[in-house]
Amino acid sequence: MSRLDDCYNVFDLRDAAKRRLPRAVFEFVDRSTEDEVALRNNRAAFERIKLRHRSLVDVSGRTTKTTLFGKEIALPMAIAPTGAAGLCWHEGELELAKAAAKAKIPFTLATGAMTNMEKIAREANFRLWFQLYVWKQRDLSYGLIERAKNAGFEALIVTTDTIVPPNREYNARNGFNIPFKPNMRFTFDIMRKPEWFINVLVKYLTTIGMPRNENYPPEYQRALRSDPRMHDVMRQDNLNWEDVKIFRDKWPGILMLKGINRVDDALKAASLGVDGIVVSNHGGRNMDSAAATIDMLPEIAQAAGDKITVLLDSGIRRGSDIVKAVALGAKCVLTGRATLYGTAVGGEAGAAKAVGIIKTEMDKTMAYTGCNGVDEISTDIFFGDRERNTMVGA
Ligand SMILES: Cc1cc2nc3c(=O)[nH]c(=O)nc-3n(C[C@H](O)[C@H](O)[C@H](O)COP(=O)(O)O)c2cc1C
């Protein structure tokens, strides 16, 4: 029996990932920032929303399929950009992308990925999105955009919520750095996980050397983020709406902004011709006082109307979470950790398992609430006054 057979939900996959990964890598994936309030609150906000069964509706013909930016996907879910997939599994980004392509959902490659973007485009091309962290030296970022365009990526997602490095204190304690420069504690940590060492680290060491940000310009690929030169490169606290205009000019495909939390920002994005926004608090990884995205979604989706497509992430662990997000106006959700845990346990098969679990849960929730199609999902399936159920302090 494979490890995956013992996993019945995303939380089982998390436990299995914890057993397999070195502590520093697991904590980088799993934890968030400071006191981890936002991380907990993302889940609590989903859990506070209660649904009602609808009885005696024929739902035998139901489907989770939906249309996003004019094309069909198997369910309203996409893979979020996560710079760490390549540490969960050798070339983990490729494994995730293959699972996404087979499941017919979009995959987003992060700027910090450890797999070459052209390789992903060659080997796993269903709907590929590229996530951009904007560097101080804008020319370097424009170069990445050009590469993504040439490689055939369908969408560009500019992340707007990570303009300064977050306080992830555990990374400092664990000696976690990309590319690796293990300290004593990290080396001891790795020695306790020989399977990961052989199947992940050794595979990199015998091919490209230490795992690194494979799509960075060559001069920065080998530099540590803690290297003072990198501080300057990584700086993005001058990112502003003028940049968005330039990205709109340079990117003919679908353009999205990730990390939009306010109605005025959503409307501004729409006015500049941005196609989509992701209501996101980065999975609670950046600002610990960030509100839960599912609590912020209704007013943003309502104001956005059909001016801009609204997506959501942060806290999705169950298929019922997708139903709740769709009911409140999201056209699609993105999963970060849920699918990373799967990748850490079984590469492509593990990622596919995570997607399959979430899809089945979504299908069952649709059946219980009497929805035959995604367009039938609305707040009509909610119990009680949503505001009272979900506001902080309820
Ligand atoms: C390990 C890890 C690495 C991430 N790296 C990036 C990144 O490079 N760029 C980005 O825009 N978001 C990144 N994110 C945030 C995700 O794209 C997404 O917003 C978040 O994971 C959603 O929350 P969830 O993990 O609860 O699903 C990362 C998240 C995790 C867990």
Side-chain angles (χ1 to χ4, degrees):
M1 192 191 239
S2 95
R3 256 190 307 245
L4 286 173
D5 293 333
D6 286 336
C7 295
Y8 296 97
N9 58 46
V10 165
F11 302 101
D12 291 341
L13 289 170
R14 176 185 180 274
D15 290 345
K18 188 174 184 179
R19 287 193 291 276
R20 191 170 174 279
L21 296 176
R23 178 190 170 125
V25 178
F26 178 73
E27 291 200 349
F28 175 69
V29 169
D30 186 64
R31 296 189 66 178
S32 52
T33 189
E34 296 184 352
D35 305 312
E36 308 194 295
V37 177
L39 176 70
R40 289 192 297 276
N41 193 44
N42 280 341
R43 286 301 305 143
F46 275 114
E47 288 171 359
R48 276 196 293 268
I49 299 175
K50 304 290 186 270
L51 309 179
R52 296 184 293 183
H53 281 273
R54 187 187 293 278
S55 300
L56 301 169
V57 179
D58 179 357
V59 286
S60 55
R62 71 190 175 280
T63 173
T64 59
K65 281 185 191 155
T66 189
T67 302
L68 184 67
F69 298 118
K71 286 192 210 153
E72 189 176 277
I73 50 178
L75 70 160
M77 170 174 162
I79 308 292
T82 55
L87 288 181
C88 292
W89 197 268
H90 178 248
E91 296 193 335
E93 293 90 0
L94 184 58
E95 303 287 311
L96 256 171
K98 283 181 179 167
K102 284 187 191 149
K104 300 218 173 315
I105 59 171
F107 166 79
T108 316
L109 187 71
T111 296
M114 283 153 196
T115 311
N116 173 280
M117 69 162 93
E118 287 80 10
K119 182 169 185 176
I120 304 252
R122 273 195 311 274
E123 297 186 26
N125 198 344
F126 172 61
R127 294 181 74 171
L128 290 180
W129 299 350
F130 183 73
Q131 175 267 332
L132 187 73
Y133 276 141
V134 183
W135 293 321
K136 187 178 171 203
Q137 254 180 280
R138 296 292 196 267
D139 285 354
L140 296 178
S141 299
Y142 302 154
L144 268 188
I145 295 182
E146 205 50 36
R147 267 180 73 186
K149 203 194 312 179
N150 293 338
F153 280 67
E154 173 192 52
L156 179 72
I157 302 188
V158 180
T159 300
T160 60
D161 63 11
T162 317
I163 57 161
V164 288
N167 286 331
R168 298 185 188 150
E169 295 145 13
Y170 48 90
N171 284 344
R173 283 195 197 100
N174 291 334
F176 183 87
N177 262 311
I178 301 170
F180 278 173
K181 195 182 171 194
N183 61 9
M184 278 294 281
R185 181 168 167 173
F186 199 172
T187 307
F188 182 64
D189 183 11
I190 291 172
M191 280 161 53
R192 290 169 56 206
K193 304 286 176 175
E195 192 197 336
W196 180 88
F197 176 70
I198 291 163
N199 288 320
V200 182
L201 195 53
V202 170
K203 282 192 184 162
Y204 282 118
L205 292 175
T206 53
T207 50
I208 60 165
M210 279 291 187
R212 58 174 190 245
N213 306 109
E214 198 54 33
N215 296 299
Y216 276 23
E219 59 270 41
Y220 296 125
Q221 271 187 13
R222 283 171 203 286
L224 276 179
R225 280 187 186 161
S226 51
D227 180 329
R229 281 186 309 148
M230 287 309 274
H231 284 176
D232 212 36
V233 175
M234 302 299 290
R235 254 187 100 139
Q236 30 185 336
D237 53 359
N238 60 357
L239 187 66
N240 66 72
W241 289 107
E242 291 305 310
D243 290 301
V244 175
K245 290 181 192 163
I246 296 172
F247 296 136
R248 182 65 291 178
D249 275 354
K250 290 191 178 292
W251 185 262
I254 299 161
L255 177 66
M256 288 180 257
L257 300 182
K258 174 170 177 281
I260 296 296
N261 285 192
R262 300 171 55 104
V263 167
D264 50 359
D265 284 349
L267 295 178
K268 177 89 180 170
S271 75
L272 294 180
V274 173
D275 303 289
I277 51 166
V278 186
V279 180
S280 170
N281 61 22
H282 218 96
R285 294 165 71 81
N286 287 355
M287 183 168 70
D288 204 24
S289 302
T293 51
I294 194 73
D295 284 340
M296 294 187 280
L297 175 66
E299 64 166 5
I300 296 174
Q302 207 170 11
D306 54 13
K307 293 193 258 304
I308 193 162
T309 300
V310 178
L311 297 85
L312 169 137
D313 75 17
S314 302
I316 303 287
R317 301 289 184 274
R318 290 278 187 186
S320 54
D321 301 332
I322 304 184
V323 172
K324 292 170 185 177
V326 169
L328 289 169
K331 290 281 182 296
C332 181
V333 304
L334 286 77
T335 56
R337 296 180 184 84
T339 30
L340 268 191
Y341 297 141
T343 309
V345 183
E348 180 187 340
K353 176 107 190 194
V355 177
I357 286 170
I358 292 171
K359 185 178 178 194
T360 303
E361 291 170 349
M362 178 179 175
D363 172 73
K364 287 183 196 294
T365 308
M366 286 177 68
Y368 290 139
T369 53
C371 299
N372 271 300
V374 171
D375 55 358
E376 289 179 16
I377 299 172
S378 76
T379 51
D380 175 60
I381 64 173
F382 285 10
F383 171 73
D385 171 2
R386 192 208 151 255
E387 290 305 315
R388 234 177 340 103
N389 281 338
T390 61
M391 288 307 283
V392 176

